[in-house]
């Protein structure tokens, strides 16, 4: 289930912060970590998928994905 965040009153968006994942390999080499968003990030109402990809020096990769849902005031009341 997504991380739920409530929109700020009157602007229909929210400033969202999260802890970025930490990637390591079994040899202790540095990994390249990329993402489509970096914290903190302002999101409009709706569901936003955040993806991190780690790539080691050999080209092996792993992906971490999670969702953030920003709810508006009308969604909270109903």
């Amino acid at each position: 289930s997504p991380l739920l965040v409530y929109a700020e009153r009157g602007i229909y968006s929210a400033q969202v912060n999260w802890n970025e994942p930490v990637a390591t390999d079994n040899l202790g080499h540095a990994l390249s970590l990329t993402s489509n968003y970096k914290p903190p990030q302002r999101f409009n109402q709706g569901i936003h998928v955040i993806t991190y990809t780690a790539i080691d020096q050999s080209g092996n990769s792993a992906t971490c994905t999670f969702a953030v849902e920003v709810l508006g005031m009308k969604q909270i009341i109903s």
Side-chain angles (χ1 to χ4, degrees), residues 7-14 42-46 70 72-74:
E8 296 168 28
R9 189 177 305 253
I11 63 172
Y12 308 105
S13 67
R42 180 162 293 280
F43 290 119
N44 291 326
Q45 290 182 44
V70 178
M73 295 304 287
K74 288 182 181 178

Side-chain angles (χ1 to χ4, degrees), residues 49-63:
V49 177
I50 300 164
T51 302
Y52 283 86
T53 301
I55 302 173
D56 70 10
Q57 293 177 349
S58 299
N60 300 310
S61 66
T63 301

Side-chain angles (χ1 to χ4, degrees), residues 1-20:
S1 65
L3 169 66
L4 298 178
V5 180
Y6 298 107
E8 296 168 28
R9 189 177 305 253
I11 63 172
Y12 308 105
S13 67
Q15 185 80 9
V16 181
N17 205 354
W18 62 89
N19 293 326
E20 294 188 285

Side-chain angles (χ1 to χ4, degrees), residues 1-3 17-18 21-24 28-29 37 39 41 57-58 64 66 68 71 74:
S1 65
L3 169 66
N17 205 354
W18 62 89
V22 176
T24 58
H29 295 135
Y37 296 105
Q41 181 73 45
Q57 293 177 349
S58 299
C64 170
F66 61 95
V68 172
L71 301 173
K74 288 182 181 178

